[in-house]
Amino acid sequence: MKEQQDRLLRGTALQGRVRVFAALSTSLVEELRRRHDAMPTATAAMGRTVTAAAMMGFMLKGEEKLTVQVKGGGPIGQIVADANADGEVRGYVSDPTVDLPLNPKGKLDVAGAVGTDGALYVIKDLGLKEPYRGTSPIVSGELAEDFTYYFSVSEQTPSAVALGVLVDVDYSVKAAGGFIIQLLPGLHDDEITEIEHKLGRLPSVTTLIDQGLGPEQIMERLFDDVKIMDTIPLTFACSCSQERVENTLVSLGKAELESIMRDAGRAEVSCHFCNEQYAVEKADLERLLHDIK
Ligand code: ZN
């Protein structure tokens, strides 16, 4: 079987009255798991969130980008994912060591890790003076339902969202992906019922991906007339750099920098998003201090 590359697709169905987005994100979620050394429940929660964020990023244009924050009050803390219109995504979870017993259905207990008392936040940088901010309460903690609810209450777009991460016995990510089906005005009630029936009969996304299906074939299973408009690679990308770390240190101010100089003589900073370690040595700290003065 040919190795499937991570990708995002968008298309339409039912003569343009349905908009579809789908993602294959196995390699991306595996890279995040590896970078954060995440345990299975944390991997699933983080993976579902970044997969949703990736598809939402693909709804944007040009330089636009977005951040998704999930704060459900559970042991995992918050999940943060950044995505842009080019399929570049990064993400982290406050506590990647969270691993819970399987839930009564025998599945990873994502809701137990995320919690059900909190909200989902979406911040979109659309190049305007103020970012767009949307929010909706966490209704299930399993995340797909929470994003479905977000689209319906915050963006007034009735949608069906599916997200899945399959973790192997060695904790690596075996399959990850998802889709977002947006129902546009003009659909008849019987068409909506038909879509609901098809969604109800569809095996889970990870089952389909594990069987070797790509996002294109999954969409074809749902809609006979699906038209794929665009497919792009989905990749992990972090914008951190030595220069950004130094800028952050400068933003702490002169007094704080002098105190770091005195106490440690150097600074070590790790990026939340990718876990990359940056060291700022004494000479560099002196240069930064000199620049402030
Ligand atoms: Zn980074």
Side-chain angles (χ1 to χ4, degrees), residues 238 240 271 273-274:
C238 193
C240 64
C271 174
F273 279 99
C274 67

Side-chain angles (χ1 to χ4, degrees), residues 84-122:
N84 64 20
D86 297 323
E88 294 176 331
V89 182
R90 60 181 189 170
Y92 71 89
V93 51
S94 307
D95 187 354
T97 67
V98 169
D99 199 29
L100 303 176
L102 298 180
N103 66 22
K105 287 181 186 162
K107 307 274 188 197
L108 290 170
D109 188 7
V110 172
V114 170
T116 52
D117 182 21
L120 188 159
Y121 303 87
V122 177

Side-chain angles (χ1 to χ4, degrees), residues 76-89:
I76 209 171
Q78 67 165 347
I79 311 168
V80 180
D82 281 353
N84 64 20
D86 297 323
E88 294 176 331
V89 182

Side-chain angles (χ1 to χ4, degrees), residues 169-183:
V169 283
D170 66 355
Y171 294 177
S172 69
V173 177
K174 205 173 176 206
F179 59 76
I180 300 172
I181 310 289
Q182 296 184 328
L183 309 181

Side-chain angles (χ1 to χ4, degrees), residues 35 90 236 238-241 271-276 278:
R35 283 182 174 272
R90 60 181 189 170
F236 170 85
C238 193
S239 52
C240 64
S241 65
C271 174
H272 272 317
F273 279 99
C274 67
N275 234 355
E276 206 67 45
Y278 292 93

Side-chain angles (χ1 to χ4, degrees), residues 51-261:
T51 302
M55 291 187 281
M56 292 168 77
F58 198 33
M59 296 173 189
L60 303 175
K61 299 182 294 286
E63 301 290 299
E64 297 173 356
K65 55 190 179 189
L66 63 78
T67 298
V68 171
Q69 284 174 297
V70 177
K71 296 184 188 178
I76 209 171
Q78 67 165 347
I79 311 168
V80 180
D82 281 353
N84 64 20
D86 297 323
E88 294 176 331
V89 182
R90 60 181 189 170
Y92 71 89
V93 51
S94 307
D95 187 354
T97 67
V98 169
D99 199 29
L100 303 176
L102 298 180
N103 66 22
K105 287 181 186 162
K107 307 274 188 197
L108 290 170
D109 188 7
V110 172
V114 170
T116 52
D117 182 21
L120 188 159
Y121 303 87
V122 177
I123 302 125
K124 294 184 195 174
D125 178 355
L126 306 176
L128 307 170
K129 210 192 265 172
E130 290 294 324
Y132 161 92
R133 287 172 193 279
T135 183
S136 64
I138 300 283
V139 289
S140 103
E142 289 289 337
L143 298 169
E145 293 88 335
D146 302 301
F147 281 97
T148 301
Y149 195 66
Y150 166 80
F151 282 115
S152 131
V153 302
S154 193
E155 300 202 1
Q156 284 84 45
T157 312
S159 308
V161 181
L163 302 167
V165 174
L166 184 63
V167 178
D168 216 336
V169 283
D170 66 355
Y171 294 177
S172 69
V173 177
K174 205 173 176 206
F179 59 76
I180 300 172
I181 310 289
Q182 296 184 328
L183 309 181
L184 304 180
L187 277 174
H188 305 297
D189 286 349
D190 56 329
E191 289 175 316
I192 295 174
T193 308
E194 169 73 13
I195 294 169
E196 284 169 351
H197 279 155
K198 282 189 167 177
L199 285 168
R201 286 196 303 266
L202 193 74
S204 74
V205 202
T206 44
T207 301
L208 296 169
I209 292 172
D210 197 33
Q211 287 170 1
L213 268 69
E216 298 80 5
Q217 289 88 39
I218 297 175
M219 290 302 99
E220 283 161 7
R221 282 229 186 158
L222 280 173
F223 301 104
D224 300 328
D225 74 334
V226 66
K227 266 207 211 82
I228 311 291
M229 320 296 278
D230 209 356
T231 305
I232 62 167
L234 170 57
T235 54
F236 170 85
C238 193
S239 52
C240 64
S241 65
Q242 185 77 26
E243 192 186 350
R244 286 195 179 211
V245 166
E246 291 183 359
N247 289 340
T248 308
L249 286 174
V250 167
S251 72
L252 296 175
K254 185 163 166 273
E256 185 64 28
L257 267 188
E258 280 172 343
S259 142
I260 294 172
M261 266 302 243

